[in-house]
Structures are given as C-alpha cells and as structure tokens.
Amino acid sequence: MDYALLGAFVIVGLCQIMAMVRVLIGPGTGDRILALDTMVLNAIGLIVLMGLSQGIRIYFEASLIIAMLGFVSTVAYARFVLRGDIIE
C-alpha cells in the first residue's frame, strides 16, 4: 500500500506540474480555464491521498469543500471571460 500511495503522489504531482505549465503557456483563455480546473482536481486528489496516507477523515471533508469552491470559481471565471460580467 505504501508503494501505491507513493506512486499516486508522484503521478498526481506530475499532473499538477503539467497543468501549471498549461496555465502559463496556454494558447488561449479557454485552455487556461480548463488547466485551472484541472489544477483544482489535482489538488483534491492530493488532499485525498494525504487523507489515505495519514488515516485522518478531515481531509476528505476539506476536499469536498474545495471541490464545491473550485466548481463555482470555474463557472464564474468562464462566464466572466465569455460575457464580461458574472452577475446578470
């Protein structure tokens, strides 16, 4: 189990770095928005892996809160880019 968790940490960490590169050099705004959403998902994955490795349940609750905030922020940013205004 320890090797599997270590491998998962490495893989998700590499995915986080690749998404960060896409945010920095993305060709368009849409690509950057998707990369930010991917970074939120990777962060949730890292938090869940921390919870699994340490055996503490609070990490799972924190990952749920971050998932809700990440979804709302992605939608708000996409609406701002498309329409120029978040609230109608």
Side-chain angles (χ1 to χ4, degrees):
M1 183 72 168
D2 293 332
Y3 294 120
L5 281 174
L6 181 64
F9 271 117
V10 169
I11 290 170
V12 175
L14 287 174
C15 291
Q16 185 79 332
I17 291 170
M18 289 189 291
M20 191 179 307
V21 168
R22 178 53 60 191
V23 168
L24 294 175
I25 62 170
T29 308
D31 295 325
R32 289 188 170 110
I33 293 172
L34 287 175
L36 284 172
D37 192 42
T38 303
M39 287 180 67
V40 169
L41 291 175
N42 288 336
I44 292 168
L46 287 172
I47 291 171
V48 168
L49 286 172
M50 288 263 300
L52 285 173
S53 67
Q54 295 180 2
I56 301 173
R57 291 185 180 188
I58 194 72
Y59 288 114
F60 301 116
E61 295 173 6
S63 67
L64 288 173
I65 292 171
I66 292 173
M68 288 187 290
L69 289 174
F71 173 73
V72 170
S73 64
T74 301
V75 170
Y77 189 55
R79 287 186 75 177
F80 176 73
V81 168
L82 289 175
R83 297 183 185 170
D85 191 19
I86 297 172
I87 301 173
E88 293 179 353

